[in-house]
Amino acid sequence: MNTIQALAGMLLLVAAAYLFSTNRRAVNWRTVLIGLAIQNGLFLLINYVPAVHHGVSAFGAGFAKVLSFAGDGAGFIFGDLAKPSGKLGFLFAFTVLPVIIFFSAFSALLYHFGILQRVVAGLAWAMKRSMGISGPESVVAAANIFLGQTEAPLLVRPYIRHMTRSELACIMIAGMSTLSGGVLAAYVAFLGGSDTAEQARFATYLLTASCMNAAGAVVFCKIMFPETTPEALSSSKLQSSKEKSEGNFVSAVVTGALDGMKMAAAVATILLAIVALIALANFLVKDGLGELLGVNAAIQASTHGMFDGLTLQYLVGQVFRVFAFLMGIGWNETLGVGSLLGQKIVLNEFIHGPGQDEGRRHAVGADGDDLHLRAGQLLQPVVGGHLRGRHRRAGAGASAGAGPDRHARAGGRGHEAGEDGRRQRPVAVAVLI
């Protein structure tokens, strides 16, 4: 039943993207069908082919092991504060944020030695050959599996000024459909806690979803923004930056660590502001409107304590539960999953509840049964779209803010470039996990 439900949801989401398409006649259904086949093929291989499953699981375990070394650095600086099993328990600032700094430095080291570029080039070659998209599009889509949405386009910066509207849309949608390496690392530390087995499990889920979402991003982009000027593509040849970073490897590590520090500081600052605003909104809605209407006790009883009244989390859960249902989630669980989806889209990718402990309970369910695992066992990966706007408001701001500045240094016109010379503002359709 869940499989049929998820397939129906997939068709409805594709139909919705088609409804909002800028040129329905120009949609290349070959690219769309191949992209969906790649998603489903990855799912079937990972879940039903033992060799592939063990390989991906081993990679996830290795990824979690690498991230665990961030604890050594954090422990040296913060002592017991960085130990989730310490007296003070799990502290986000001293456990998760150091992982972002460490992984940023580690990624910079891989980039310096040209390892990351080779991995990206291999994935991009596969996407270009199978889906028939342009070289720069495939490079950015593949790079977003590992890099952030502002760093990945730098691999093809010479081509940005010549890109068509469809290519620009693909770059933006791919960036907001996958997890950057730093955020992925933070998710693993946040959800897995101090348990290495749990970290490996979540790393496997997230890496799989990020790879599947790269293909899904291309699918939705090519439906909503089909290529209408194939003769004007920025390049028909696969080309990615194979240059090493300037300076020696020590310089690369220092630069990466400083970039990670900026990202960690941004995450902490935004979280502080958003959590405070959520508390204010919940006070006004729950203690004000909820008490006035007398619905808080009824909501708490009907949700079995998942929500303690008319809160912002409850409201976004009601709005987005239909998307959770289209993903194949049983209706009795759609409120919790819909709340997670709504908070990620409307607020921030780190917000899963009023606090870290409650957020983790929402992520794994009240009885310890992992909602992500149940969702991941469906035939169709979790795909959806915020058809009217953006996947994450902060993410869209990062793309808009970083794009013109960085691309200007490369001599490009950033996101203002289009085949007709007018300012282009592609609407991003998010592929959710």
Side-chain angles (χ1 to χ4, degrees):
M1 178 60 185
N2 282 342
T3 299
I4 298 176
Q5 178 183 332
L7 287 173
M10 178 190 70
L11 294 177
L12 286 174
L13 291 171
V14 170
Y18 181 75
L19 180 65
F20 285 90
S21 177
T22 57
N23 191 329
R24 298 186 184 93
R25 293 184 178 180
V27 175
N28 187 337
W29 290 106
R30 176 184 177 273
T31 298
V32 172
L33 293 176
I34 291 178
L36 293 175
I38 289 175
Q39 283 191 310
N40 291 311
L42 284 173
F43 169 79
L44 293 173
L45 286 173
I46 293 172
N47 286 274
Y48 294 102
V49 179
V52 178
H53 175 76
H54 292 315
V56 174
S57 298
F59 185 81
F63 186 83
K65 180 63 178 178
V66 170
L67 296 184
S68 68
F69 294 112
D72 295 329
F76 178 78
I77 302 297
F78 303 115
D80 290 340
L81 293 175
K83 296 179 180 180
S85 58
K87 295 181 179 179
L88 297 179
F90 183 91
L91 297 176
F92 187 90
F94 303 110
T95 304
V96 176
L97 298 185
V99 174
I100 297 177
I101 298 174
F102 165 72
F103 192 77
S104 178
F106 183 68
S107 299
L109 190 63
L110 294 179
Y111 189 89
H112 173 78
F113 289 114
I115 298 174
L116 190 58
Q117 295 95 310
R118 290 184 176 88
V119 174
V120 169
L123 293 173
W125 178 87
M127 293 185 68
K128 179 178 183 292
R129 292 296 182 184
S130 60
M131 303 184 70
I133 58 179
S134 70
E137 283 178 303
S138 61
V139 169
V140 174
N144 270 298
I145 299 174
F146 307 99
L147 303 177
Q149 63 197 74
T150 56
E151 291 83 7
L154 297 181
L155 294 176
V156 294
R157 54 187 173 186
Y159 299 97
I160 291 177
R161 65 184 303 176
H162 305 294
M163 284 186 172
T164 65
R165 186 185 188 190
S166 179
E167 288 180 296
L168 286 172
C170 188
I171 286 179
M172 291 190 67
I173 294 173
M176 289 184 282
S177 300
T178 54
L179 287 171
S180 68
V183 174
L184 191 151
Y187 263 24
V188 171
F190 177 64
L191 295 172
S194 59
D195 190 333
T196 55
E198 286 296 289
Q199 289 183 357
R201 187 163 66 98
F202 280 109
T204 302
Y205 296 161
L206 294 172
L207 287 168
T208 301
S210 198
C211 292
M212 296 168 73
N213 285 354
V218 177
V219 168
F220 276 86
C221 170
K222 295 308 176 182
I223 295 176
M224 294 192 67
F225 295 91
E227 188 61 69
T228 57
T229 56
E231 70 282 355
L233 290 176
S234 57
S235 175
S236 60
K237 297 180 180 179
L238 184 63
Q239 182 71 28
S240 63
S241 174
K242 296 182 180 180
E243 297 179 358
K244 297 181 181 180
S245 59
E246 296 181 0
N248 54 35
F249 72 94
V250 176
S251 176
V253 170
V254 171
T255 301
L258 292 177
D259 289 341
M261 178 195 67
K262 295 175 184 177
M263 181 179 179
V267 168
T269 302
I270 294 173
L271 280 177
L272 187 152
I274 291 181
V275 170
L277 290 173
I278 291 174
L280 173 61
N282 282 337
F283 173 77
L284 296 175
V285 176
K286 176 191 169 187
D287 297 338
L289 185 60
E291 290 294 336
L292 180 64
L293 299 176
V295 297
N296 288 335
I299 291 175
Q300 186 174 10
S302 64
T303 60
H304 304 288
M306 180 182 294
F307 302 97
D308 56 358
L310 188 65
T311 62
L312 188 63
Q313 289 86 347
Y314 174 78
L315 292 175
V316 296
Q318 291 289 4
V319 173
F320 286 93
R321 69 184 309 177
V322 63
F323 291 101
F325 182 75
L326 293 177
M327 288 155 36
I329 304 298
W331 184 254
N332 60 327
E333 296 175 335
T334 54
L335 184 58
V337 178
S339 180
L340 292 175
L341 293 177
Q343 291 175 67
K344 181 177 180 181
I345 295 173
V346 178
L347 301 174
N348 183 275
E349 61 264 45
F350 285 102
I351 299 294
H352 291 296
Q356 288 93 358
D357 291 335
E358 185 174 348
R360 284 202 296 273
R361 285 201 305 272
H362 286 180
V364 300
D367 58 353
D369 190 14
D370 184 17
L371 294 179
H372 290 85
L373 176 59
R374 291 203 300 274
Q377 289 173 336
L378 305 174
L379 175 62
Q380 169 60 24
V382 180
V383 296
H386 192 189
L387 300 177
R388 295 179 55 199
R390 302 169 179 89
H391 171 43
R392 290 174 284 124
R393 310 218 180 260
S399 292
D405 175 61
R406 296 190 178 192
H407 298 156
R409 291 198 297 268
R413 291 178 290 175
H415 296 299
E416 298 185 1
E419 63 265 28
D420 55 2
R422 296 176 296 177
R423 180 179 178 85
Q424 304 294 345
R425 295 185 296 173
V427 180
V429 179
V431 181
L432 310 177
I433 61 171

